[in-house]
Amino acid sequence: MADNEGNIIIVRNLSKRYGESMAVSDVSFSVKEGDIFGFLGHNGAGKTTTVNMLTTLLEPTRGSASIAGFDIITQPITVRKNIGYVPENVQLYENLTCFENLEFFAKISGIEHPKVRIMEVLRLLNAASYANKRVGELSKGMRQRIGLAQAIIHKPKVLFLDEPTSGLDPMGVKELRDTIIALNEQEGITIFMNTHLLSEVTKTCKTIGVLNHGKLIYNDTLKKTLNRFNNEDSLEKIYFSIERKNGN
Amino acid sequence: MSNTFIIAQKEWKDIIRSKTFIYILILLAILTLISLIVSILVFNSQLTEYNNAATQLQQQGRDVGLPPQLYPLNLLRGTVDYIEIIGAMLGILLGYLCIAKERNTKALKLLLTRPITKGEIVRGKILGNTLFILSLMTIMAVFIVFLFALISGLFLSNSELFKIFLFIIISTVYVLIFFMLSFFLSLKQKNLTRALITCFIIWLVIVLILPQIGDTMDPDNQVPGGLFKSMNVDKPTEKLIMSRFGTYETIRNGIEESSITKHYERAVFAIFGIKSIYNGKSLSFTLLDTISNYYWILGFLILGLYIDYIYLSKTKIYLSG
């Protein structure tokens, strides 16, 4: 459930330390229900570590966060019921068919008779004709789509995507982008998207956050961002301008 | 259905459809066939040798001893030998692959973002792989029974079939112990290659080096047919001589007993009567006489289950890389 201000993701002073280095340092932000949030940053900025903490894969060193009103540290199982996650270049079980993969993920997500929901999701993602194909026989783009299908099979409130367009051809990128927007609009899923591709953010996201060396250096709506930096003509220039202001 | 069973079912389906399964099955079938044919040829040559000797002795008017007796399960010595080595290797590979594949494809990450516990994942994977190993051993046993009938026209008795059933169970547990070792290391080590190398070093020590040291230190193994027998030393005298080497024998036995492979070998050799003192003895006598080997095997199994079920469920595991 979102809080009174409509926030479905609330992050407060979240930090993760690996030995001597801080991968994520005192990060605080919130994401509104129904938003498509683009989490930007160069490689190694701490984006994946943040997502790993929000998806309960990693325990934070400090700070707290809640998803749909549930605490990621004290209520991890309930958090997991409310999220879907697609890691970068996910491949699933290649000896199982698409249907069997989705059936497996549906069952461990608590759906007892998942057949109807599986076909519904496959149709939504234009993948119904691939139901009986083994995942090992699919193209990279189609695998990514089945990866997306497993993440929404249990109707999550929030969907985390880690570099979703990585390794896809331009056609695959466009199709995936349309799918993400459709999921947001038709299924009402809040999307949290890790990416370093600024063009994708412009075309997909409503709000952005910029992470640099583990610190959140910018967080606002895309519309306001483009208005604020009205002297810049592309998000790329804005991005570099933000990073420059922060001493990079 | 509980999450553990859902994961076990998926695990089973995933392995049974993989090419790895086909390769393993073909390899085991070929090795079983070869070992059985070799054993039959060896027995036939012993029989020919006996017949020749018997003819000569009869011509000289001397007494002829009993011919070598065929105990069909004795012919499985080669099969037991390769399960000791290749079965252990198979367990290691299964444990490694079941984690490495999922770490590389990120499926493990997906599992851990679902409303299930780490314990359920660990239990599901162990259960799925146990069923797979059990099926593999059962297929192999059926193949052995079939080969007996096909090659030598031998149909095993009920008691021999029961012994083969015991062999399936003991072999499954033996392979499972190596599976659990490699499963544990593959989840606990950040570097998967290092995990695999560590497993094979342990395999080398447990399966090859320790039993070999034990065998080499055994004075009776130094001469084919046995040192004491070749010197015509009777059993009481042999015991008297060996009693002078008590500490040496304790060390030698200790080295052998630290290897699960040696316990597996002793247990199965006794059941199959490959160790000749158990030929013609009742199964209950054989099992009781080798009970300590079963305790050891059970001990290793409980240790593996404890480490995998309890320790892994509560500690950090590596998800990718």
Side-chain angles (χ1 to χ4, degrees), chain B residues 148-161:
Chain B
F148 268 125
L150 190 80
I151 299 176
S152 45
L154 273 171
F155 292 94
L156 299 179
S157 66
N158 284 346
S159 94
E160 283 165 336
L161 287 175

Side-chain angles (χ1 to χ4, degrees), chain A residues 20-156:
Chain A
E20 288 303 301
S21 79
M22 286 301 277
V24 175
S25 181
D26 276 327
V27 167
S28 298
F29 65 90
S30 50
V31 177
K32 298 251 185 262
E33 190 170 17
D35 201 352
I36 302 183
F37 182 81
F39 205 39
L40 285 163
H42 53 77
N43 290 335
K47 302 188 300 287
T48 301
T49 304
T50 306
V51 167
N52 281 348
M53 287 191 279
L54 294 179
T55 53
T56 75
L57 287 168
L58 269 182
E59 210 166 293
T61 310
R62 209 171 49 233
S64 65
S66 69
I67 313 273
F70 301 105
D71 190 278
I72 59 162
I73 302 164
T74 57
Q75 299 164 289
I77 298 285
T78 326
V79 167
R80 290 175 200 165
K81 285 181 182 165
N82 288 283
I83 62 166
Y85 174 49
V86 186
E88 188 181 358
N89 296 325
V90 65
Q91 289 175 38
L92 305 182
Y93 303 106
E94 57 179 30
N95 294 317
L96 305 189
T97 65
C98 296
F99 186 91
E100 287 167 338
N101 263 289
L102 296 181
E103 190 182 33
F104 169 66
F105 283 104
K107 280 183 175 171
I108 58 167
S109 301
I111 305 173
E112 289 206 358
H113 304 289
K115 200 174 172 185
V116 175
R117 176 63 183 160
I118 292 170
M119 291 319 292
E120 189 182 296
V121 168
L122 284 173
R123 274 194 292 274
L124 180 75
L125 299 178
N126 290 325
S129 58
Y130 292 86
N132 295 319
K133 279 215 164 196
R134 285 195 191 186
V135 167
E137 298 168 8
L138 301 181
S139 68
K140 196 174 168 64
M142 191 48 71
R143 280 185 200 200
Q144 192 73 347
R145 221 180 284 184
I146 301 301
L148 204 55
Q150 67 72 29
I152 60 164
I153 197 81
H154 56 302
K155 299 186 179 175

Side-chain angles (χ1 to χ4, degrees), chain B residues 165-294:
Chain B
F165 168 75
L166 286 179
F167 163 70
I168 294 173
I169 303 294
I170 301 167
S171 301
T172 301
V173 172
Y174 175 70
V175 177
L176 187 64
I177 288 167
F178 285 92
F179 165 84
M180 286 194 290
L181 168 76
S182 129
F183 181 78
F184 172 77
L185 287 174
S186 301
L187 276 172
K188 288 305 284 181
Q189 291 228 358
K190 195 172 184 178
N191 186 322
L192 276 169
T193 315
R194 193 179 301 153
L196 190 63
I197 291 171
T198 311
C199 283
F200 276 111
I201 291 172
I202 295 174
W203 170 82
L204 197 69
V205 173
I206 292 178
V207 178
L208 296 177
I209 297 177
L210 290 176
Q212 196 55 51
I213 291 175
D215 279 348
T216 310
M217 284 175 74
D218 187 352
D220 209 32
N221 270 350
Q222 306 311 311
V223 175
L227 176 72
F228 296 108
K229 209 174 174 183
S230 67
M231 294 195 306
N232 290 324
V233 174
D234 58 18
K235 272 282 162 196
T237 320
E238 179 188 331
K239 278 188 181 164
L240 189 69
I241 295 170
M242 287 315 291
S243 67
R244 303 277 171 92
F245 297 93
T247 314
Y248 177 85
E249 264 303 284
T250 308
I251 292 170
R252 189 189 71 78
N253 203 38
I255 291 172
E256 281 194 346
E257 298 220 324
S258 60
S259 164
I260 173 79
T261 304
K262 207 67 196 172
H263 294 290
Y264 168 75
E265 182 186 285
R266 286 175 181 173
V268 181
F269 274 18
I271 289 175
F272 283 173
I274 295 167
K275 190 139 174 93
S276 56
I277 56 162
Y278 296 106
N279 269 331
K281 293 278 183 350
S282 73
L283 185 61
S284 55
F285 170 83
T286 306
L287 292 177
L288 276 174
D289 205 47
T290 50
I291 195 81
S292 68
N293 298 117
Y294 293 95

